[in-house]
Amino acid sequence: MQYMKPALRNGRYTLISSSLSNTLNPNPFIFFLTSPFHTLQTFRSQSPISCFSSSMAFSSAPDPSLEKQFGEFRTHLEQSGTLRDRIRTVVSEIESTTRLMYASILLVHHSRPTPEKAKSQIDVLKEKYKQLADILGGYPGQYYRYHGDWKSETQTVVSMLTFVHWLETGKLLEHKEAEEMLGLNGPEFNLDVEDYLVGVCFMSNELPRYVVNQVTAGDYDCPRNVLKFLTELHAAFRMLNLRNDLLRRKFDGMKYDLRKVEEVYYDVKIRGLTPNGESVADQGIKGQS
């Protein structure tokens, strides 16, 4: 152990260690402690930071090139924000139109014919996409920069268009046909292929429900037609080299849609139901009578 003996020298307290017998550390050391009033004043006066005054640090004028660059950044961000506000206004109107269209399409699940109200909304959607094309017309080459603002709504629109087209023709709405229906066939503003494919996957989600409701209504031939369509569509998607992204996940969901339709079809076939709503056994009884 060491004993610290205080001593006063020149207005400062100095602790001088004296070595005691049987100490663990025989080497003496000295700690210097200054008085609290002297220490702060002396430290401040001798501190190297004092040579840099605040007036000297900020007395120089800002770099003109730096100020000009960030001024251009500010103008660019303001213009981009204004453009996005205009785009989102039109996209909000597209979303409202798709809600009305989907509400009409839902009646198909209750064995009602394809409503004309849903088909009439296609012209409204075409006009909205024309407005988007006009807005981006003044900003060439910026399509994919703002494409995310209407991407989700476009996928929903494609799903409804393909579903209505299948109800009327039993075939898939092709990409070029969807572009023409929406007016998205311009050189700078078109229908993105991935949006089209995701929309087709969304459309397949409606088919299992449609099949169940049609069988309940007595249309026992519907599962066979839907199963044939979904099988061909699933085989076509397998030709694509899909990454692990949204399109891949939606394609995986199509597998479950196909499985649900297969279950309904096998159930109808096992029961021996015919397209006119009678089983094979009932038809045999009528034939004998």
Side-chain angles (χ1 to χ4, degrees):
M1 299 293 294
Q2 295 180 350
Y3 171 72
M4 311 298 287
K5 182 179 180 181
L8 180 61
R9 293 182 180 179
N10 299 327
R12 300 182 180 181
Y13 289 103
T14 304
L15 292 181
I16 304 177
S17 64
S18 61
S19 178
L20 300 178
S21 60
N22 298 327
T23 57
L24 297 176
N25 186 8
N27 296 326
F29 60 90
I30 300 176
F31 287 98
F32 296 97
L33 288 178
T34 59
S35 65
F37 302 102
H38 261 292
T39 303
L40 185 59
Q41 184 176 1
T42 306
F43 177 77
R44 288 180 177 177
S45 62
Q46 296 178 357
S47 174
I49 303 177
S50 61
C51 62
F52 299 100
S53 62
S54 59
S55 60
M56 292 178 61
F58 297 98
S59 61
S60 60
D63 189 355
S65 61
L66 188 64
E67 186 176 3
K68 179 183 178 182
Q69 177 180 235
F70 277 83
E72 294 175 353
F73 289 162
R74 181 185 62 186
T75 303
H76 176 74
L77 293 176
E78 290 176 353
Q79 292 177 352
S80 179
T82 303
L83 179 59
R84 286 190 184 276
D85 291 339
R86 295 175 60 190
I87 292 175
R88 288 168 181 169
T89 300
V90 180
V91 171
S92 178
E93 296 174 356
I94 293 177
E95 185 179 2
S96 300
T97 305
T98 54
R99 284 199 298 266
L100 295 175
M101 189 175 181
Y102 186 68
S104 301
I105 293 177
L106 286 177
L107 300 176
V108 177
H109 292 292
H110 300 283
S111 302
R112 297 186 184 182
T114 305
E116 294 296 327
K117 184 177 181 181
K119 298 169 61 176
S120 64
Q121 298 297 324
I122 297 177
D123 294 333
V124 179
L125 292 172
K126 186 175 182 179
E127 178 62 27
K128 299 303 177 184
Y129 280 107
K130 184 179 181 301
Q131 294 179 11
L132 285 179
D134 294 339
I135 292 175
L136 289 177
Y139 302 87
Q142 300 294 317
Y143 173 82
Y144 283 103
R145 179 181 180 184
Y146 301 98
H147 168 247
D149 292 338
W150 66 82
K151 181 176 183 177
S152 177
E153 288 74 14
T154 302
Q155 294 169 356
T156 304
V157 169
V158 171
S159 68
M160 290 185 292
L161 292 181
T162 52
F163 185 52
V164 172
H165 183 79
W166 179 83
L167 290 172
E168 295 179 343
T169 64
K171 298 180 180 180
L172 178 66
L173 179 69
E174 296 183 358
H175 178 258
K176 292 183 179 180
E177 294 175 339
E179 283 185 326
E180 293 177 358
M181 293 178 68
L182 297 175
L184 298 177
N185 49 3
E188 293 288 338
F189 197 90
N190 47 41
L191 177 59
D192 186 72
V193 174
E194 186 173 345
D195 293 344
Y196 167 78
L197 293 175
V198 173
V200 172
C201 293
F202 284 154
M203 182 269 291
S204 71
N205 301 149
E206 295 289 336
L207 294 180
R209 179 186 178 188
Y210 178 76
V211 168
V212 172
N213 290 329
Q214 289 300 108
V215 171
T216 304
D219 186 1
Y220 299 106
D221 197 39
C222 179
R224 181 179 62 85
N225 297 329
V226 175
L227 180 59
K228 180 177 181 297
F229 171 76
L230 266 183
T231 302
E232 295 176 352
L233 183 61
H234 182 266
F237 263 88
R238 291 184 66 86
M239 297 173 59
L240 305 177
N241 185 16
L242 301 178
R243 303 185 303 272
N244 190 16
D245 54 4
L246 175 63
L247 181 56
R248 176 72 189 190
R249 294 192 294 271
K250 294 305 177 183
F251 169 66
D252 292 338
M254 186 186 297
K255 301 176 184 178
Y256 297 100
D257 299 332
L258 180 60
R259 184 180 302 174
K260 293 177 182 177
V261 175
E262 285 178 345
E263 292 175 355
V264 177
Y265 172 72
Y266 292 149
D267 187 57
V268 171
K269 189 174 181 179
I270 290 174
R271 292 174 183 271
L273 298 175
T274 60
N276 59 4
E278 298 177 349
S279 65
V280 177
D282 293 338
Q283 285 188 343
I285 294 174
K286 287 185 178 181
Q288 293 178 1
S289 62

